[in-house]
Amino acid sequence: MTDALSLVDDWGPEKIVVVSHRRTGMKGVLVIDNTARGTGKGGTRMSPTVTVGEVARLARVMTWKWAGVDLFYGGAKAGIVADPVSRDKEAILRAFARALSNEVPREYVMGLDMGLTECDAAIIQDELGDRGAAVGTPEHLGGIAYDKLGVTGYGVAEATDSAAQSLGMPLAGARVAIQGFGAVGAAAAARYAELGATVVAVSTAHGGLHDPSGLDVPAVLAAREEHGDAFVNRFSQGAVIDAGQELTVDCDVLVPAALQDVIDVEKAHRIKAKLVVEGANLPTSPQAQEILARRGVTVLPDFVANAGGVVAAAFAMDARYSGFRPETPTIFDTISSRLRANAVAVLEEAKRRNTTPHTAGRGLAEERVRTAMRSKGRLPLG
């Protein structure tokens, strides 16, 4: 069991709230990491394995992600210990929202993460009687359809294109392998194809597909739409590979866009890509990052590469009490300009400091948070 006090460092967390409800069996946690730059904002996840340590780790990622794209919200995250397919899901979700009514939305605004849907965000708003309590609601309630629009995956591809150009490796014609073909991976694949890249491998929990000459991305997307994750076993093009093998196929760009902690020391020695773009949160261990750096492999950090969803969430935050939905072209234009500029800034800072992009990007984000903390009198005197 995690000792909550052991999680506290110079940055946070500012608040850890553990809640429960006997009748529904609800158990959950909210971690508000750092609000020097604004209200705590981060997704709420539901899983039987949620832990305080996991949520705290993800809340810290949000602190760096908001600062990294220079948007004025703070790092926070919430988790509910429950099965998202449970028939009691709505009752548990409502109990969780009620238990956090002191914090939501004044200190934390709920959003979507693993296990929650757009309708769940609407339920949170309904339970607390406040449109400001959550973002990620359905379009017909004024929300931004993150997954339908593919904002995170689009941003991953835009950041990749900018990083590749900075490295002297044009994305057009480059071979890309994608781990995870959910909302992020699928949208990224579609944008990679538009940018002229060749997608040579994709994967789901059911396995992967690999074709060195390039997969037919529109056909793959259509098969996913028809068959879900199992499409990999029904698709006629390419060889079926075991899940995990896509990380080590011969390619120029590798995009881990599924789970955290998938690239460890062993995998780091076997990766053939020249550029790793972190579409998922925390997919590469610190030790693996060092190994990849020594091998000359550039890793574009998650808080830079997958911040497209964060940019879209900022628009949603502004629109919570508005009668007008944000314009979709404006959202995409902002994602592109922000992520492209940040990718180059982080890689140039890493080169200047002779360090990894993670360390360089984290340094830039830390300075922004530190400056805000100093301005608000949150740092020790002296």
Side-chain angles (χ1 to χ4, degrees):
M1 180 178 293
T2 301
D3 176 2
L5 290 175
S6 70
L7 298 172
V8 178
D9 60 17
D10 291 344
W11 306 103
E14 296 172 4
K15 180 182 285 190
I16 299 176
V17 184
V18 176
V19 295
S20 64
H21 186 254
R22 181 74 181 274
R23 185 171 183 179
T24 60
M26 181 275 293
K27 293 190 295 183
V29 60
L30 164 65
V31 177
I32 298 176
D33 184 58
N34 189 298
T35 60
R37 287 172 57 89
T39 302
K41 176 68 192 79
T44 302
R45 62 176 44 192
M46 180 180 285
S47 166
T49 62
V50 163
T51 66
V52 173
E54 169 193 1
V55 176
R57 189 182 180 199
L58 292 167
R60 178 60 54 81
V61 171
M62 292 306 302
T63 296
W64 306 140
K65 194 173 290 189
W66 285 116
V69 292
D70 203 17
L71 294 170
F72 295 96
Y73 293 105
K77 203 81 173 180
I80 307 169
V81 186
D83 189 337
V85 300
S86 167
R87 64 181 182 180
D88 299 320
K89 181 182 184 180
E90 181 178 337
I92 292 170
L93 193 62
R94 288 183 180 275
F96 183 69
R98 287 195 305 273
L100 292 175
S101 60
N102 288 334
E103 288 77 23
V104 178
R106 187 171 61 88
E107 298 179 66
Y108 170 64
V109 176
M110 294 188 180
L112 303 183
D113 197 357
M114 182 175 65
L116 292 194
T117 68
E118 293 177 347
C119 288
D120 294 327
I123 286 169
I124 292 166
Q125 288 186 353
D126 181 65
E127 182 60 34
L128 295 181
D130 191 334
R131 284 182 61 194
V135 296
T137 53
E139 280 186 284
H140 58 264
L141 292 178
I144 296 173
Y146 302 113
D147 289 353
K148 179 181 176 181
L149 294 174
V151 290
T152 303
Y154 175 85
V156 167
E158 291 291 291
T160 303
D161 189 31
S162 183
Q165 290 181 38
S166 178
L167 296 170
M169 183 183 74
L171 189 60
R175 299 163 301 158
V176 180
I178 304 172
Q179 182 190 52
F181 210 63
V184 176
R191 184 58 177 159
Y192 283 132
E194 291 175 352
L195 292 169
T198 301
V199 177
V200 296
V202 299
S203 74
T204 73
H206 290 260
L209 288 172
H210 178 224
D211 187 338
S213 64
L215 294 165
D216 182 339
V217 172
V220 172
L221 292 170
R224 171 183 175 267
E225 181 69 23
E226 182 178 359
H227 302 295
D229 283 355
F231 81 87
V232 294
N233 296 311
R234 304 186 182 195
F235 200 67
S236 59
Q237 182 191 3
V240 176
I241 57 177
D242 292 335
Q245 282 187 266
E246 70 284 349
L247 293 172
T248 56
V249 300
D250 192 14
C251 63
D252 302 303
V253 180
L254 172 63
V255 185
L259 302 172
Q260 59 195 48
D261 300 320
V262 294
I263 300 179
D264 55 16
V265 169
E266 187 271 335
K267 282 285 196 307
H269 286 291
R270 297 170 54 206
I271 284 173
K272 300 179 179 65
K274 303 179 185 71
L275 172 64
V276 175
V277 179
E278 295 188 322
N281 287 329
L282 305 169
T284 314
S285 74
Q287 296 83 2
Q289 292 168 23
E290 294 293 340
I291 291 169
L292 290 168
R294 289 198 297 269
R295 294 184 57 218
V297 178
T298 300
V299 181
L300 193 65
D302 49 4
F303 52 85
V304 175
N306 69 17
V310 166
V311 175
F315 280 97
M317 288 286 284
D318 282 351
R320 284 178 297 156
Y321 296 109
S322 172
F324 297 91
R325 185 182 293 109
E327 295 292 332
T328 299
T330 303
I331 295 173
F332 278 105
D333 288 347
T334 306
I335 289 171
S336 178
S337 61
R338 291 262 179 170
L339 269 62
R340 283 178 173 274
N342 286 343
V344 172
V346 166
L347 294 183
E348 289 181 348
E349 181 70 2
K351 184 177 181 180
R352 185 182 71 81
R353 294 175 52 186
N354 191 29
T355 188
T356 67
H358 274 83
T359 300
R362 167 85 171 267
L364 291 172
E366 283 183 355
E367 185 53 37
R368 288 171 178 167
V369 174
R370 185 182 294 108
T371 300
M373 294 174 71
R374 186 180 298 116
S375 296
K376 293 183 174 181
R378 297 189 180 188
L379 294 179
L381 297 175

